Amino acid sequence: MSAANVVFLMYHEIELPGRSLCRVEPGYVRYVVKESEFRSQMHLLLQAGWSGFSVTHAFSASRSPGLVITFDDGCETDLLAAAPILQDAGFSATFYITLGFLGRSGYLTPAQVRELSDAGFDMGCHSLTHPYLTDLDKKGLEREIAEAKDRLEHIIGRGVHHFSCPGGRWNERAVEVARKAGYLTLATSRPHTNSPVSNAFSLGRVAVVRGTTLPAFERLCHGEGLWRLALQDVLRDRVKTILGNSAYDRVRATLLHAKRPR
Ligand SMILES: [Zn+2]
């Protein structure tokens, strides 16, 4: 992988020992990384001389090798588990917040979002109510993308420039609304690396899932084997298109239930 190609990692909730998760269904838990796993992963990066950046500083060429660390949804463990480990490593990150989830059990409160922002982390928006953007009309897109941005800016007292798509679904209409609202980037869940000349409104990200071994994590960070994940992504998209989003979710839940996570 050339130095110009940067891997963007995508995390969600972090599991703390003895603490219940925001949600319990297998499709959710698959994306919940244990605190011990996350700590080992950041330690590995540090040992290897890598830096962890926010989306804003994604392409700080002077400090390569590096990768971008992102979190979706705005779980309380962003502040309780991820932030201290990142700070110990001297890494930054972007936390994408779902505004409508703030204050719910297991999620950040507005004050905690402000705390993360004041600590120097990059705050991005992950919509208002976490819908599939592809299911929305223009009004819905404006509410979820533009209004959510205004609300987050009001909470942190700073500009919000980055958006990540709930469930990884997006289309050109969503991009249009995001551009108009003043965002500078839009992140997807497509597993590809990004470079300074990539389309900033379809940034790829690589999900770190529960139980990823350290060697597998290291390969992800080097952008190795992403073609395989990308192929799975294409196939998944075909199935989604054929079934529709809600039927796809039902089928996926059934399949994942048969294979319970650790
Ligand atoms: Zn999400």
Side-chain angles (χ1 to χ4, degrees), residues 12 23 72-74 96 98 101 126-127 130 164-168 205:
H12 295 79
R23 288 161 61 188
D72 277 1
D73 296 348
Y96 291 105
T98 308
F101 291 176
H126 191 52
S127 84
H130 209 275
S164 75
C165 302
R205 289 189 299 166

Side-chain angles (χ1 to χ4, degrees), residues 143-164:
R143 193 174 58 241
E144 296 288 342
I145 298 172
E147 192 188 318
K149 179 179 191 284
D150 289 345
R151 287 212 207 172
L152 184 55
E153 288 177 341
H154 185 74
I155 291 170
I156 63 175
R158 294 179 174 87
V160 170
H161 308 297
H162 309 293
F163 186 89
S164 75

Side-chain angles (χ1 to χ4, degrees), residues 91-169:
F91 293 168
S92 192
T94 296
F95 293 100
Y96 291 105
I97 306 298
T98 308
L99 276 294
F101 291 176
L102 296 181
R104 283 193 199 172
S105 173
Y107 292 92
L108 295 162
T109 65
Q112 289 174 318
V113 169
R114 198 188 178 103
E115 198 179 329
L116 276 173
S117 176
D118 288 349
F121 289 108
D122 195 17
M123 307 312 288
C125 183
H126 191 52
S127 84
L128 205 57
T129 65
H130 209 275
Y132 291 139
L133 299 178
T134 46
D135 292 343
L136 302 180
D137 61 12
K138 182 141 188 287
K139 243 196 157 88
L141 286 173
E142 282 168 355
R143 193 174 58 241
E144 296 288 342
I145 298 172
E147 192 188 318
K149 179 179 191 284
D150 289 345
R151 287 212 207 172
L152 184 55
E153 288 177 341
H154 185 74
I155 291 170
I156 63 175
R158 294 179 174 87
V160 170
H161 308 297
H162 309 293
F163 186 89
S164 75
C165 302
R169 322 283 161 93

Side-chain angles (χ1 to χ4, degrees), residues 1-9 50 59 66-67 188 190-199 202-206 219-227 230:
M1 186 176 67
S2 104
N5 291 319
V6 178
V7 170
F8 284 39
L9 298 177
W50 290 59
F59 305 112
L67 40 69
T188 72
R190 286 272 160 85
H192 59 78
T193 61
N194 305 299
S195 80
V197 294
S198 296
N199 178 355
S202 62
L203 293 174
R205 289 189 299 166
V206 181
R219 285 195 294 276
L220 284 185
C221 294
H222 283 282
E224 289 168 16
L226 296 187
W227 64 269

